[in-house]
């Protein structure tokens, strides 16, 4: 069944099976997201794509569109909640942007700019997970991980290698490498894998290419993520 | 309304600045407003600051804090600023979230001091400095909002001169300061 719903007051058509996020995006409306990727099924962990439908906050990446529903996305209430979610992600990791190779090309950072996050506000966790630099071509900084599982999904479903996994529970949850030793060097991972380039933040970094783009020429320097994300398939 | 007259009659704001566990880069960025410094001098008087000779912060309208909190003296200075400033502003990544100095937070402090003052090659009389005149380091570097209440945050490492000028002119004019793309950045 296809139909039309209202997205921030604008009519948006949808096909059967489309989620709110997919239909809104197809109609040219940007919805903030981190763990969602057009090439993969919805994940629902980052919650940045929340919208308000019939008084309830729902994840637009997972919620099927229904005829006649009224969706609020770009409102002070929803953006405030998104900003709080970003603040939580920032304090849970070590997001020292001034020394991060991903700065300027990072979706987490660009979204925080988009939502005008001026401070992470909460007390910092300062996690201490050792860097894995064992692989000849790729470096892993686990302290920047936002648990979107895009690398897990890309490695398992696209590369057919199943290199990554999330392990443990609660705040102890972290990204792990599926090797007896836990080291990336002891897997068949390669820098050409889909999983090597899909990380939205600065966890999976190709060695010897950092800081190559001049400031001003990076992905989100000239245009905000709401513009960049609609021009490409990330 | 005669805005020109009200501008003239408005008393100058008093502004204090300091660098805690900072690199003075945020102060250099403030100087990067270049000729706007002359306008700023018309609008504000500086209290305690690295650019004045005043030793302690007196009653002020605005306090600009650069750097995180890494030692005991930083805590005293920060509390002095909070007591005296109506509006306290965290300027730069270090003040906002600890910044790059907070990368020491996963290291043992004793081991850090030993590495630098005892075990490093070429040190003549290896010992960790222990004179009581020296402030003791805290075991972790903290953002300043974990020590005192902060009214505004200006991120950036450093914030650009344009961003600081926009922030200050908003604040001085009585507007809620707002930084958005492209003035807003963390690096």
């Amino acid at each position: 069944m296809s139909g039309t719903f209202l997205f921030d007051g604008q009519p948006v058509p949808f096909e059967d099976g489309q989620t709110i996020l997919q239909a809104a995006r197809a109609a040219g409306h940007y919805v903030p997201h981190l763990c969602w990727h057009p090439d993969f099924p919805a994940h629902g962990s980052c919650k940045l794509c929340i919208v308000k439908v019939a008084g309830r906050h729902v994840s637009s990446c997972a919620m099927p569109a229904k005829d006649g529903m009224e969706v609020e996305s770009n409102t002070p209430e929803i953006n405030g909640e998104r900003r709080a979610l970003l603040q939580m992600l920032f304090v849970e990791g070590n997001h020292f942007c001034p020394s991060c190779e991903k700065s300027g090309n990072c979706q987490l950072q660009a979204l925080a700019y988009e939502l005008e996050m001026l401070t992470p506000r909460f007390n910092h966790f300062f996690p201490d997970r050792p860097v894995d630099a064992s692989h000849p071509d790729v470096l892993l900084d686990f302290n920047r991980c936002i648990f979107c599982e895009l690398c897990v999904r890309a490695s398992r479903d696209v590369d057919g290698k199943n290199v990554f996994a999330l392990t443990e529970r609660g705040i102890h949850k972290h990204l792990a490498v599926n090797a007896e030793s836990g080291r990336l060097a002891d897997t068949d991972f390669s820098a050409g894998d889909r999983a090597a380039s899909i990380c939205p933040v600065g966890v999976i970094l190709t060695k010897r290419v950092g800081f190559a783009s001049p400031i001003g020429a990076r992905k989100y320097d000239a245009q905000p993520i709401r513009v960049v994300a609609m021009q490409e398939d990330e | 309304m005669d805005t020109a007259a009200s501008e003239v009659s408005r008393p100058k704001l008093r502004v204090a600045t300091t660098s805690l566990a900072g690199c003075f880069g945020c102060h250099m960025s403030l100087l990067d407003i270049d000729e706007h410094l002359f306008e700023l001098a018309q609008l504000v008087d500086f209290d305690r600051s690295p650019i004045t000779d005043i030793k302690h912060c007196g009653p002020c309208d605005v306090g600009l804090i650069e750097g995180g909190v890494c030692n005991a003296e930083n805590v005293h200075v920060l509390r002095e600023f909070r007591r005296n400033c109506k509006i306290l502003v965290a300027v730069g990544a270090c003040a906002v979230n600890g910044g790059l100095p907070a990368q020491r937070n996963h290291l043992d402090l004793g081991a850090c001091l030993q590495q630098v003052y005892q075990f490093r090659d070429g040190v003549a009389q290896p010992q960790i400095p222990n004179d009581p005149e020296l402030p003791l380091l805290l075991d972790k570097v903290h953002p300043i909002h974990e020590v005192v209440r902060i009214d505004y945050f200006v991120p950036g490492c450093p914030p650009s001169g344009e961003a600081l000028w926009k922030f200050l002119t908003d604040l001085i004019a009585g507007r809620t300061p707002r930084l958005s793309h492209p003035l807003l950045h963390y690096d």
Side-chain angles (χ1 to χ4, degrees):
Chain A
M1 186 193 78
S2 62
T4 304
F5 63 91
L6 283 180
F7 183 89
D8 284 339
Q10 305 283 314
V12 167
F14 67 93
E15 298 298 324
D16 188 26
Q18 272 190 315
T19 61
I20 294 172
L21 190 151
Q22 285 171 325
R25 208 177 147 85
H29 300 287
Y30 173 65
V31 182
H33 60 83
L34 282 171
C35 69
W36 182 82
H37 190 288
D39 297 350
F40 293 91
H43 189 250
S45 62
C46 76
K47 299 288 170 213
L48 262 294
C49 71
I50 51 159
V51 293
K52 191 170 178 180
V53 180
R56 300 184 65 184
H57 292 191
V58 299
S59 299
S60 64
C61 70
M63 185 78 170
K66 288 192 180 62
D67 195 38
M69 67 174 21
E70 291 179 27
V71 177
E72 292 173 42
S73 174
N74 192 14
T75 65
E77 179 191 2
I78 295 298
N79 284 336
E81 188 158 329
R82 289 174 179 148
R83 198 177 303 115
L85 290 163
L86 286 168
Q87 288 170 319
M88 292 179 200
L89 288 172
F90 268 82
V91 297
E92 282 171 18
N94 291 336
H95 296 284
F96 299 121
C97 301
S99 67
C100 180
E101 292 177 26
K102 204 62 181 276
S103 191
N105 300 310
C106 171
Q107 290 184 32
L108 177 69
Q109 184 194 57
L111 260 183
Y113 295 164
E114 172 71 24
L115 292 160
E116 294 186 23
M117 187 191 97
L118 297 172
T119 165
R121 191 162 79 91
F122 305 112
N123 284 8
H124 279 74
F125 288 37
F126 294 122
D128 179 18
R129 309 183 193 109
V131 164
D132 181 347
S134 62
H135 194 279
D137 301 317
V138 176
L139 170 79
L140 301 176
D141 186 337
F142 297 102
N143 296 312
R144 298 170 182 156
C145 184
I146 58 168
F147 317 117
C148 67
E149 282 199 309
L150 278 171
C151 61
V152 176
R153 293 181 272 166
S155 184
R156 182 188 61 213
D157 303 339
V158 180
D159 304 327
K161 293 184 177 178
N162 205 17
V163 169
F164 298 104
L166 291 188
T167 184
E168 296 198 48
R169 289 174 187 276
I171 196 59
H172 302 295
K173 179 168 73 178
H174 61 95
L175 184 66
V177 173
N178 281 328
E180 193 78 25
S181 63
R183 296 164 75 241
L184 192 63
D186 299 325
T187 67
D188 53 355
F189 188 74
S190 98
D193 288 355
R194 187 76 206 279
S197 57
I198 205 163
C199 182
V201 293
V203 180
I204 305 175
L205 297 168
T206 307
K207 290 184 178 178
R208 297 175 294 277
V209 297
F211 306 111
S213 312
I215 289 173
R218 301 171 305 182
K219 195 168 177 183
Y220 302 109
D221 279 341
Q223 292 177 309
I225 191 168
R226 108 179 83 86
V227 177
V228 177
M230 299 302 287
Q231 289 168 346
E232 49 169 65
D233 285 334
E234 287 151 293
Chain B
M1 192 179 75
D2 189 352
T3 51
S6 67
E7 291 288 332
V8 171
S9 61
R10 182 186 289 174
K12 283 169 117 177
L13 289 183
R14 200 157 179 85
V15 176
T17 80
T18 192
S19 177
L20 305 177
C23 70
F24 282 90
C26 293
H27 277 84
M28 295 309 293
S29 221
L30 179 60
L31 300 184
D32 270 342
I33 65 174
D34 298 332
E35 68 272 21
H36 289 309
L37 283 167
F38 296 112
E39 288 172 65
L40 189 62
Q42 298 295 315
L43 295 167
V44 308
D45 283 325
F46 280 94
D47 195 274
R48 174 182 170 164
S49 168
I51 61 172
T52 69
D53 200 26
I54 299 171
K55 307 302 182 197
H56 284 281
C57 182
C60 284
D61 299 290
V62 180
L64 304 176
I65 311 281
E66 159 193 340
V69 175
C70 81
N71 66 30
E73 194 231 357
N74 292 159
V75 177
H76 288 295
V77 172
L78 182 56
R79 287 183 173 154
E80 177 184 292
F81 269 70
R82 180 68 277 182
R83 272 199 307 277
N84 286 287
C85 299
K86 290 180 196 159
I87 296 170
L88 204 58
V89 186
V91 180
C94 298
V96 170
N97 69 3
L100 298 187
Q103 289 180 122
R104 82 154 156 90
N105 284 359
H106 71 102
L107 302 172
D108 178 74
L109 183 59
C112 276
L113 289 166
Q114 283 183 325
Q115 190 63 42
V116 174
Y117 291 106
Q118 283 190 302
F119 302 149
R120 195 160 51 118
D121 289 341
V123 179
Q125 291 174 297
Q127 59 164 347
I128 294 173
N130 64 353
D131 192 290
E133 186 155 322
L134 300 172
L136 288 173
L137 293 176
L138 309 179
D139 69 330
K140 297 241 190 301
V141 177
H142 297 272
I144 62 175
H145 78 263
E146 293 185 11
V147 180
V148 297
R149 186 178 58 78
I150 299 300
D151 300 290
Y152 294 104
F153 297 82
V154 184
C157 187
S160 64
E162 289 90 342
L164 285 170
W165 182 240
K166 169 74 163 64
F167 176 85
L168 288 171
T169 46
D170 278 353
L171 197 64
I172 291 166
R175 295 186 293 267
T176 299
R178 184 171 175 198
L179 295 175
S180 54
H181 193 90
L183 289 182
L184 178 58
H185 62 92
Y186 305 152
D187 57 358

